[in-house]
Amino acid sequence: MFNSTVLEVAIGLVFCYASVALIASSVYEAIASWINLRSKTLFTGISYLLNATGDQASGKNLLQKIYNDALVHPSGDGKTTHFDKDKCIPAYIPSKNFALALIHAIQQTPGNFENLSADINAVKDEQLRNLLRSLERKAAGNLDAFQYEVANWFDASMERVSGIYKKWSQLWCFLIALVIAIIFNIDSVHLFKTLWVHPSLVAQVNFDKVDPAMAAKAYQQLQMLPVGWNQSFEWSALLSPSLWLGWLLTASASLFGAPFWFDTLKTLVRLRGTGLKPDSEKATRDATVK
């Protein structure tokens, strides 16, 4: 179905995309961890969920109580007032813990779970109060059922927050991948043309030693492919549409993610293993002399 040249070109391109995606995601994760992006995104999402943005003091008070609950913020001291400046706020909150923390936060008498209806009626924010009332009616006044309904509401809301986070992370990963493609001149068009003419170049790359969790090793293997700048490069070449198209293709391919490309790479390598690998240039010359 495929000849050796097609396979070698496909393997080279897929490995290139996998390496760029891995490096870009590693850089993004390092930045996100440094600025606590996940924690801040979660905090912002819960703030909107409780109508705790702007000048709505009641929502802010409820948000503060929930984040000071040990079920939500076990590493906190229970007295924090400025969570947007707290570098230790959680990046993930189990829905059951949030639901119970919310019940704790709305209680007028701590530890009294029998006055759930009165506690809900005392919630100052009208929108949140109506929501909790509807959840209570659905739970038929049962505390465990009410906690389950609140947890489901939280999960559904966090799915939207997660979707927004993923969209922004994809955008930033694309921009990071584009910068990597430009800095190291990883031009998909040039790479395809070179590998098509010299498919044996892919044989240099030792795929067995590439660890998908190690971006440094992936980059070292990537250098064995026809990428990078050469001394004969002229700055006027930056105006070439083909060059920019190659960079954009490389950056766009990274959006599929490193796991996708490494799985594809394994499939292609296994497929190549059923046939003959292309001879190296040296082997070809020796055969010609004989």
Side-chain angles (χ1 to χ4, degrees), residues 6-7 43 46 49 54 65 67 71 76 96 103 143 148 163 185 201 220 233-234 248 252-253 281 288:
V6 173
L7 275 177
F43 180 80
I46 294 178
L49 186 65
K65 288 182 178 180
Y67 260 81
L71 289 169
K96 293 182 179 180
I103 295 173
L143 180 63
Y148 175 79
N185 192 23
L201 291 173
Q220 291 176 357
F233 174 79
E234 296 182 0
L248 288 172
S252 299
E281 293 182 4
T288 302

Side-chain angles (χ1 to χ4, degrees), residues 238-259:
L238 291 175
L239 300 177
S240 170
S242 175
L243 183 62
W244 282 95
L245 176 62
W247 290 340
L248 288 172
L249 285 174
T250 302
S252 299
S254 68
L255 295 178
F256 288 94

Side-chain angles (χ1 to χ4, degrees), residues 17-123:
Y17 298 150
S19 300
V20 173
L22 177 60
I23 297 170
S25 61
S26 298
V27 172
Y28 174 78
E29 288 298 329
I31 296 174
S33 177
W34 179 51
I35 64 176
N36 295 322
L37 186 58
R38 279 191 173 85
S39 300
K40 292 180 179 178
T41 302
L42 177 62
F43 180 80
T44 302
I46 294 178
S47 298
Y48 279 102
L49 186 65
L50 300 175
N51 291 332
T53 58
D55 298 327
Q56 297 165 329
S58 60
K60 290 182 179 179
N61 184 50
L62 185 61
L63 177 66
Q64 181 177 335
K65 288 182 178 180
I66 291 175
Y67 260 81
N68 274 322
D69 195 303
L71 289 169
V72 170
H73 192 12
S75 61
D77 58 3
K79 301 177 181 178
T80 306
T81 57
H82 295 87
F83 292 99
D84 53 339
K85 299 179 181 179
D86 188 353
K87 295 183 178 181
C88 298
I89 58 175
Y92 172 76
I93 300 176
S95 57
K96 293 182 179 180
N97 291 11
F98 175 85
L100 191 54
L102 176 61
I103 295 173
H104 290 165
I106 65 175
Q107 284 183 327
Q108 295 174 300
T109 304
N112 187 356
F113 295 96
E114 297 180 357
N115 296 327
L116 181 60
S117 296
D119 293 334
I120 293 175
N121 290 330
V123 174

Side-chain angles (χ1 to χ4, degrees), residues 54-260:
D55 298 327
Q56 297 165 329
S58 60
K60 290 182 179 179
N61 184 50
L62 185 61
L63 177 66
Q64 181 177 335
K65 288 182 178 180
I66 291 175
Y67 260 81
N68 274 322
D69 195 303
L71 289 169
V72 170
H73 192 12
S75 61
D77 58 3
K79 301 177 181 178
T80 306
T81 57
H82 295 87
F83 292 99
D84 53 339
K85 299 179 181 179
D86 188 353
K87 295 183 178 181
C88 298
I89 58 175
Y92 172 76
I93 300 176
S95 57
K96 293 182 179 180
N97 291 11
F98 175 85
L100 191 54
L102 176 61
I103 295 173
H104 290 165
I106 65 175
Q107 284 183 327
Q108 295 174 300
T109 304
N112 187 356
F113 295 96
E114 297 180 357
N115 296 327
L116 181 60
S117 296
D119 293 334
I120 293 175
N121 290 330
V123 174
K124 296 182 179 180
D125 184 80
E126 182 179 0
Q127 183 179 10
L128 182 60
R129 182 173 63 249
N130 292 335
L131 172 68
L132 294 178
R133 280 176 179 172
S134 65
L135 295 180
E136 184 199 15
R137 287 194 296 269
K138 187 176 181 180
N142 182 277
L143 180 63
D144 292 335
F146 177 72
Q147 181 182 348
Y148 175 79
E149 294 297 335
V150 173
N152 285 342
W153 166 62
F154 178 75
D155 282 335
S157 301
M158 290 304 102
E159 284 182 4
R160 292 193 293 269
V161 174
S162 178
I164 295 173
Y165 179 85
K166 288 180 179 179
K167 287 181 180 179
W168 280 105
S169 65
Q170 283 189 324
L171 174 61
W172 283 109
C173 282
F174 170 78
L175 294 176
I176 293 172
L178 181 59
V179 171
I180 292 173
I182 294 174
I183 291 177
F184 299 107
N185 192 23
I186 306 175
D187 178 359
S188 291
V189 176
H190 171 70
L191 183 62
F192 173 81
K193 292 178 179 178
T194 306
L195 291 179
W196 186 260
V197 177
H198 305 289
S200 60
L201 291 173
V202 183
Q204 306 177 63
V205 184
N206 191 344
F207 298 104
D208 296 332
K209 293 184 178 180
V210 177
D211 185 354
M214 299 295 291
K217 289 184 178 180
Y219 173 65
Q220 291 176 357
Q221 295 290 303
L222 183 63
Q223 288 180 306
M224 296 182 181
L225 294 175
V227 299
W229 300 96
N230 54 53
Q231 295 180 350
S232 60
F233 174 79
E234 296 182 0
W235 289 104
S236 58
L238 291 175
L239 300 177
S240 170
S242 175
L243 183 62
W244 282 95
L245 176 62
W247 290 340
L248 288 172
L249 285 174
T250 302
S252 299
S254 68
L255 295 178
F256 288 94
F260 168 82

